[in-house]
Amino acid sequence: DGGITQSPKYLFRKEGQNVTLSCEQNLNHDAMYWYRQDPGQGLRLIYYSQIVNDFQKGDIAEGYSVSREKKESFPLTVTSAQKNPTAFYLCASGGGEPTDTQYFGPGTRLTVL
Amino acid sequence: GNSVTQMEGPVTLSEEAFLTINCTYTATGYPSLFWYVQYPGEGLQLLLKATKADDKGSNKGFEATYRKETTSFHLEKGSVQVSDSAVYFCAHMDSNYQLIWGAGTKLIIKP
């Protein structure tokens, strides 16, 4: 089955710890994205990558880091510098063209205790 | 700058009622327009899209028409079901190929 997987679905961490969220896709998409969703709000772009070994900051990149070493994978690290990390994190991939649909993973809910 | 404005929710309707969720956008040019749906605790799924003016996107009984003269992409369905209860997001693609999102509209359908 083609799709996007995110793991884990739920993640709990203590304040001050870095945590890495996994995102894998087997859709052969060039572009991948990370979004943050807070309760009752829309999506905000954290980072995106149009090709392997290249990525750009989105609207709220502070306190986050990413890597794109493989086309299929785009992990997101939430660092201790992120002041309010508790949120629902969504990964997406797409062809990167203006008419292309973005396909989403099931999301990871991160709770920092 | 680029933006998307959706009607605020929650929108509460009875089963078999007619649905309209308004969406207007601000953008340069003629961006592709999208409606996504999010069921509780899940990621987003594409519901429909339109890539040029006057196009009509449709899926699962939902429709939306790309109106460049009013910069709108309102979502409609003739007869809603309880299973349509979800949050609906309108979005457009900006000139940097990034999606600009509305805040989402929660839809509640009562039996």
Side-chain angles (χ1 to χ4, degrees):
Chain A
D1 268 16
I4 302 176
T5 57
Q6 290 186 245
S7 60
K9 190 166 177 65
Y10 299 96
L11 191 54
F12 297 88
R13 278 295 181 268
K14 292 183 179 179
E15 200 171 330
Q17 290 181 333
N18 290 358
V19 61
T20 298
L21 281 59
S22 166
C23 178
E24 304 278 331
Q25 55 101 358
N26 61 5
L27 300 168
N28 200 32
H29 285 159
D30 288 317
M32 296 186 75
Y33 310 83
W34 273 106
Y35 292 95
R36 171 181 172 138
Q37 186 179 28
D38 293 286
Q41 297 189 30
L43 278 68
R44 293 186 288 170
L45 183 64
I46 305 172
Y47 268 98
Y48 64 100
S49 168
Q50 303 276 32
I51 56 172
V52 174
N53 291 323
D54 189 40
F55 48 83
Q56 286 78 41
K57 293 181 179 180
D59 301 321
I60 56 165
E62 186 174 349
Y64 300 97
S65 66
V66 293
S67 63
R68 187 85 187 277
E69 296 176 3
K70 298 186 300 181
K71 188 175 186 177
E72 302 79 18
S73 179
F74 192 42
L76 173 74
T77 297
V78 184
T79 75
S80 56
Q82 168 50 232
K83 294 191 178 357
N84 186 18
T86 295
F88 190 47
Y89 290 88
L90 288 159
C91 179
S93 71
E97 296 299 322
T99 59
D100 284 340
T101 299
Q102 287 186 17
Y103 294 88
F104 283 79
T108 293
R109 188 166 298 281
L110 173 65
T111 302
V112 175
L113 307 171
Chain B
N2 295 333
S3 66
V4 174
T5 303
Q6 293 181 232
M7 60 191 290
E8 279 192 34
V11 172
T12 304
L13 296 171
S14 297
E15 207 165 19
E16 299 183 5
F18 184 87
L19 168 71
T20 300
I21 300 178
N22 290 339
C23 171
T24 58
Y25 66 91
T26 304
T28 54
Y30 303 106
S32 296
L33 301 172
F34 303 82
W35 276 102
Y36 282 82
V37 59
Q38 185 178 34
Y39 298 100
E42 297 184 9
L44 277 70
Q45 304 171 26
L46 177 70
L47 183 58
L48 52 85
K49 71 177 186 181
T51 58
K52 60 182 189 294
D54 300 325
D55 265 3
K56 177 185 283 188
S58 61
N59 185 27
K60 299 181 182 179
F62 291 89
E63 292 183 340
T65 301
Y66 191 135
R67 303 276 188 210
K68 69 177 173 132
E69 62 276 9
T70 55
T71 62
S72 65
F73 194 52
H74 305 321
L75 183 68
E76 297 181 334
K77 186 175 185 181
S79 176
V80 292
Q81 307 300 314
V82 171
S83 57
D84 294 326
S85 299
V87 181
Y88 292 81
F89 291 92
C90 183
H92 79 73
M93 189 78 76
D94 74 6
S95 56
N96 293 319
Y97 302 170
Q98 303 310 313
L99 282 173
I100 308 299
W101 296 90
T105 302
K106 184 173 184 177
L107 176 64
I108 301 170
I109 307 300
K110 298 192 172 182

